[in-house]
Amino acid sequence: MFDAVAANYDLTNDVLSLGQDRRWRKEVAKAVDARPAQKVLDLAAGTATSSQPFVRAGAYVVPCDFSLGMLQVGKKNHPWMPFTAGDGTTLPFRDDVFDAVTISFGLRNIQDTGAALRELYRVTKPGGRVVICEFSHATWAPFRTVYEEYLMRALPPVARAVSSNPDAYVYLAESIQSWPDQPTLAGLLQEAGWSKVAYRNLTGGIVALHRGFKPAP
């Protein structure tokens, strides 16, 4: 499914989010706080648009994704980056490798959320951090109603106009509605071993930014 939307993926996201995805990426970059020479894993990186702020910060960034189509488009645009094919529940990396791990709008697409969070924990160095940016649930009831109407009624026709595979965005709307809310995801992070777990809402809660740390010995 994601192979089929790879060509216009970044443009489609920009249109469907009304440009908000750019702001969300900036907030992710601040939370990850990548430093020169640090190793950062960007899981579900797609075409590696999400990876670029970490690159500009001087970090060594590994974009990893399950979709070969996404990786091929990304490699064409950023041929020097170490794109890696990988399943979020069985990552192809050794233990304790990365200073920071992050995933934006991809955790929802991994079938076993707990396994993915444990894998991210495994490959993170002690003292390292995780940052998750994911669609969530609007906190103000009137806004939530408007947003859910947009998801189910407006998003599919817009996707048909700009995407090569609009059915993928029908799945997007349905998966957002069934995704755990902010406190539930925080609890899943804690169950996976992450400490100092916290989250904050973006754009009224339609997106949430979760963060946690791997305890140092």
Side-chain angles (χ1 to χ4, degrees), residues 122-189:
R122 179 184 66 79
V123 302
T124 302
K125 294 178 181 178
R129 57 211 181 271
V130 63
V131 173
I132 298 170
C133 184
E134 187 54 89
F135 290 112
S136 197
H137 299 273
T139 55
W140 188 45
F143 178 51
R144 183 165 59 247
T145 300
V146 172
Y147 175 59
E148 289 179 353
E149 286 290 312
Y150 168 73
L151 281 178
M152 300 311 297
R153 297 191 181 187
L155 188 148
V158 173
R160 279 193 290 272
V162 297
S163 173
S164 55
N165 185 5
D167 288 343
Y169 290 89
V170 174
Y171 156 78
L172 169 67
E174 294 173 347
S175 68
I176 290 172
Q177 288 193 317
S178 62
W179 182 246
D181 63 13
Q182 293 90 322
T184 302
L185 181 55
L188 292 174
L189 276 159

Side-chain angles (χ1 to χ4, degrees), residues 54-116:
F54 317 132
V55 173
R56 289 193 290 271
Y60 175 79
V61 187
V62 177
C64 181
D65 202 283
F66 186 76
S67 168
L68 295 180
M70 288 284 190
L71 294 174
Q72 288 167 356
V73 172
K75 193 68 174 177
K76 182 178 178 181
N77 295 334
H78 311 287
W80 47 272
M81 294 195 73
F83 286 88
T84 304
D87 182 336
T89 61
T90 53
L91 292 171
F93 308 109
R94 293 179 289 105
D95 296 355
D96 306 333
V97 172
F98 297 99
D99 297 284
V101 294
T102 184
I103 179 170
S104 293
F105 307 110
L107 186 61
R108 192 185 67 261
N109 301 321
I110 299 175
Q111 189 170 11
D112 190 334
T113 304

Side-chain angles (χ1 to χ4, degrees), residues 2-88:
F2 290 99
D3 290 352
V5 301
N8 296 323
Y9 183 70
D10 294 322
L11 172 62
T12 304
N13 288 344
D14 202 30
V15 172
L16 294 179
S17 71
L18 306 178
Q20 285 294 299
D21 62 315
R22 300 178 192 180
R23 180 198 164 208
W24 299 333
R25 282 199 296 269
K26 289 180 181 178
E27 294 302 322
V28 171
K30 290 178 185 177
V32 171
D33 192 24
R35 306 289 178 84
Q38 287 188 338
K39 293 180 180 178
V40 176
L41 171 63
D42 188 9
L43 184 58
T47 60
T49 297
S50 58
S51 305
Q52 300 314 303
F54 317 132
V55 173
R56 289 193 290 271
Y60 175 79
V61 187
V62 177
C64 181
D65 202 283
F66 186 76
S67 168
L68 295 180
M70 288 284 190
L71 294 174
Q72 288 167 356
V73 172
K75 193 68 174 177
K76 182 178 178 181
N77 295 334
H78 311 287
W80 47 272
M81 294 195 73
F83 286 88
T84 304
D87 182 336

